[in-house]
Amino acid sequence: MPKISGNNIQENSQSSRMNNCRALSCVADALHHCSAEHQINLVDVIRKHSLDDYGYIKMINFIRATKCSASRLMGLSGAPLPWESEDFLRPVLQDDPLLQTDLEELCDSEGSTSCSPSASESHDALQRRAQAAEGRARQSEEALARAMDDLHKLKLLAQGLVLNAGTSRSSTMGAVAELREDEDEAYFSSYGHYSIHEEMLKDKVRTESYRDFMYSNPEVFKDKVTPVFPRKYVEQGDFKSLCDFISPSQLDCRVITLIKGRIEDIKLPVEKVDIIISEWMGYFLLFESMFDSVLYARDLYLAAGGSVYPDLCNISLAAVGDAQKHRDRVVFWDDVYGFNMACMKKAVVPEAVVEVVNAETLISQPTVVKTIDCNSVILSDLEFVSDFCLKMTKTTECTGIVGYFDIFFDKGCSNNKVMFSTGPQVTKTHWKQTLFLLETPMDVRAGEELSGTITVRKNKKDPRSLFVTLKLGDRKQTYSLQ
């Protein structure tokens, strides 16, 4: 077997017939020598035993370690092969060029007899190999692109079926109210760990707004029956802890009654209540569809003249120009370590991003696209279509649209009204903002207006998630929040 030393390949002696070494200039010369002098074609051996990369490496190291004769090598009939031990993955020769040779190229180049006749022939051979490698890479990229395109088409088809499909659930009760407890278990389990409650309690904007509303407006609550609906029902152990924590003496109330369970599954010990308080808001306000449960409670239990708090809320949009974020999240896929993976954008762009948006990247005035009166809104109003117009404040590229919401405690509060915003211009909250990235940025100019339409729909297969469709000029993109 030819021996490799540095950049040369040397022929080792096999038994007593060959005691000298002969330097060979390259892998091709070594293979030619094996065929001409020892009547063994290594490529034939590779094909005969269907060797993969690891099998080829083991075979080369086995031949070098055992000085296996050509006759023995050619006489091997099948499994088990003598080089199957993992020990033969360890190179016998350091920097062995035979181990650095691509197995596919080695089998493809079987017809080549030598790599040393001339510099021009060497250059031509290398060029052909490079072109062949580029061709294989291009074919792989095209195959990946086709697969991603097919995946994207299937996703669009599924979204279309979901958006247009009828539903067997009652339209008066709503999809969330009709969910069985076992169907909704995954959602409620997501609130099972203390950390998510810790995050919400440490959100001072949120927590202090509710506190200020209740403490600053005692006349709203005087002699009133007021259910306070948490975001999730608590498990048995947590429920006992909650009972220990909440008592009339701690909250300066005459009577406090705690009831465990979903509002859709329990019955209150009173026919009507005067006030309903709930912190139901999700990302982009409507994600999680907790407001559906509040409306269920309102329609079933709220007395005439009573009120839901917060009582007003709205959803706003603004244009964003953040070239760096667009490069990091979208343009990144154009060149991933030398590979074009732009097909991934079809999976990346349709996912809305929940994060804190830098106020300095806002390039338009905000506009309200939906206002909700919590005391009069009906369930069907929570799915809507709204035209909007964004007035640009900067001449730049628009890379996305940001969405956020504002909350108001207003009714009956006279001079002590309370509100808070989740927009990028104010103190951040745990809701952050929702960013809808554009696949290709749009050129905009200060003073001009960007017109569009937003469509918000529940995912009928998962009523706690949302589909948001943005139409900007001739562009249209559906995003998911799930």
Side-chain angles (χ1 to χ4, degrees):
M1 176 74 189
K3 176 182 178 182
I4 296 171
S5 177
N7 292 325
N8 292 323
I9 302 175
Q10 297 178 322
E11 180 194 356
N12 264 343
S13 60
Q14 288 190 27
S15 71
S16 59
R17 292 185 295 118
M18 297 183 294
N19 294 316
N20 59 338
C21 288
R22 182 170 138 199
L24 301 171
S25 60
C26 68
V27 171
D29 282 351
L31 295 178
H32 177 70
H33 173 82
C34 288
S35 178
E37 299 295 328
H38 304 290
Q39 291 75 50
I40 183 168
N41 188 320
L42 288 182
V43 173
D44 286 345
V45 177
I46 292 168
R47 289 173 176 163
K48 176 181 177 181
H49 300 292
S50 302
L51 299 183
D52 58 12
D53 290 323
Y54 290 109
Y56 167 72
I57 291 170
K58 289 179 179 180
M59 180 188 73
I60 295 298
N61 289 326
F62 168 77
I63 293 171
R64 292 202 183 283
T66 64
K67 296 181 173 56
C68 174
S69 67
S71 58
R72 182 188 176 193
L73 197 60
M74 292 299 291
L76 295 173
S77 57
L81 296 170
W83 54 76
E84 289 185 357
S85 170
E86 298 297 308
D87 292 340
F88 292 114
L89 284 173
R90 186 180 297 108
V92 175
L93 295 179
Q94 192 168 353
D95 300 326
D96 190 337
L98 282 174
L99 300 183
Q100 298 169 15
T101 300
D102 182 84
L103 183 60
E104 186 177 350
E105 291 182 1
L106 184 68
C107 293
D108 289 344
S109 64
E110 184 184 7
S112 175
T113 58
S114 176
C115 64
S116 58
S118 70
S120 63
E121 289 176 354
S122 247
H123 175 72
D124 291 343
L126 287 172
Q127 217 171 25
R128 286 194 298 272
R129 289 174 62 186
Q131 289 171 349
E134 287 176 3
R136 288 194 298 273
R138 194 160 46 247
Q139 289 172 357
S140 298
E141 288 178 4
E142 290 170 355
L144 177 60
R146 287 194 298 272
M148 290 303 301
D149 189 54
D150 291 342
L151 180 62
H152 180 63
K153 288 176 181 176
L154 284 172
K155 187 173 183 178
L156 290 178
L157 177 62
Q159 285 183 354
L161 290 172
V162 168
L163 288 170
N164 298 320
T167 174
S168 60
R169 301 193 187 275
S170 166
S171 59
T172 56
M173 294 281 285
V176 169
E178 286 291 309
L179 287 172
R180 299 191 310 271
E181 187 171 322
D182 60 324
E183 291 179 303
D184 225 9
E185 182 60 31
Y187 168 70
F188 286 115
S189 295
S190 68
Y191 284 92
H193 195 268
Y194 74 88
S195 60
I196 191 168
H197 300 284
E198 179 182 2
E199 179 187 21
M200 291 188 290
L201 289 170
K202 286 181 176 178
D203 183 344
K204 297 182 69 174
V205 172
R206 160 201 182 264
T207 307
E208 291 182 357
S209 294
Y210 275 82
R211 180 202 64 185
D212 293 347
F213 158 63
M214 290 187 281
Y215 284 9
S216 301
N217 295 281
E219 70 281 359
V220 172
F221 297 92
K222 186 177 180 181
D223 299 324
K224 300 292 175 63
V225 177
T226 307
V228 180
F229 297 117
R231 291 172 67 93
K232 102 176 258 300
Y233 67 90
V234 291
E235 302 300 332
Q236 189 63 45
D238 298 328
F239 190 73
K240 182 180 184 303
S241 300
L242 190 62
C243 292
D244 293 340
F245 173 74
I246 298 178
S247 67
S249 61
Q250 292 212 59
L251 295 182
D252 194 23
C253 299
R254 289 200 301 272
V255 178
I256 295 176
T257 303
L258 296 178
I259 302 172
K260 175 178 180 265
R262 298 194 321 163
I263 188 62
E264 294 89 353
D265 301 332
I266 63 173
K267 182 174 178 58
L268 296 184
V270 294
E271 286 190 9
K272 295 294 178 180
V273 299
D274 303 299
I275 296 171
I276 294 175
I277 301 176
S278 178
E279 193 276 84
W280 52 267
M281 296 80 76
Y283 299 135
F284 199 61
L285 187 65
L286 297 175
F287 178 64
E288 295 184 6
S289 297
M290 275 300 296
F291 192 41
D292 294 27
S293 297
V294 176
L295 297 187
Y296 177 90
R298 181 200 69 185
D299 295 343
L300 190 60
Y301 290 110
L302 190 63
S307 183
V308 174
Y309 290 102
D311 54 303
L312 293 173
C313 46
N314 59 41
I315 299 174
S316 295
L317 299 178
V320 173
D322 191 338
Q324 184 59 52
K325 187 176 299 296
H326 191 269
R327 284 193 294 271
D328 291 343
R329 292 187 178 271
V330 181
V331 180
F332 164 78
W333 297 102
D334 289 335
D335 183 0
V336 182
Y337 299 100
F339 289 92
N340 184 347
M341 299 180 66
C343 53
M344 286 296 297
K345 294 179 187 179
K346 294 178 180 178
V348 172
V349 173
E351 289 192 7
V353 181
V354 176
E355 65 180 23
V356 176
V357 173
N358 186 342
E360 294 181 359
T361 65
L362 297 180
I363 59 172
S364 80
Q365 296 175 0
T367 187
V368 175
V369 295
K370 183 67 174 178
T371 297
I372 297 174
D373 183 334
C374 300
N375 287 297
S376 61
V377 69
I378 61 175
L379 198 59
S380 60
D381 292 339
L382 303 183
E383 296 184 278
F384 62 91
V385 179
S386 176
D387 295 328
F388 62 88
C389 190
L390 298 173
K391 187 170 183 179
M392 296 298 139
T393 57
K394 295 180 182 179
T395 299
T396 183
E397 286 187 331
C398 175
T399 59
I401 302 294
V402 64
Y404 60 93
F405 60 89
D406 304 320
I407 296 297
F408 302 86
F409 300 86
D410 192 273
K411 185 178 178 181
C413 295
S414 59
N415 296 324
N416 296 316
K417 297 178 180 180
V418 175
M419 70 84 60
F420 68 86
S421 176
T422 64
Q425 314 93 324
V426 295
T427 304
K428 70 176 181 180
T429 68
H430 78 281
W431 288 287
K432 305 171 187 177
Q433 291 88 42
T434 303
L435 180 62
F436 307 99
L437 287 167
L438 304 181
E439 183 170 345
T440 306
M442 302 176 64
D443 291 327
V444 295
R445 298 182 66 83
E448 293 182 347
E449 294 183 339
L450 176 62
S451 298
T453 303
I454 182 171
T455 304
V456 177
R457 292 279 184 265
K458 286 186 175 72
N459 180 345
K460 289 184 172 61
K461 297 294 184 182
D462 176 12
R464 295 201 180 277
S465 62
L466 293 177
F467 289 131
V468 178
T469 301
L470 286 174
K471 187 175 185 300
L472 300 171
D474 60 352
R475 303 186 187 192
K476 188 176 181 180
Q477 177 68 60
T478 296
Y479 302 85
S480 62
L481 264 169
Q482 54 191 359

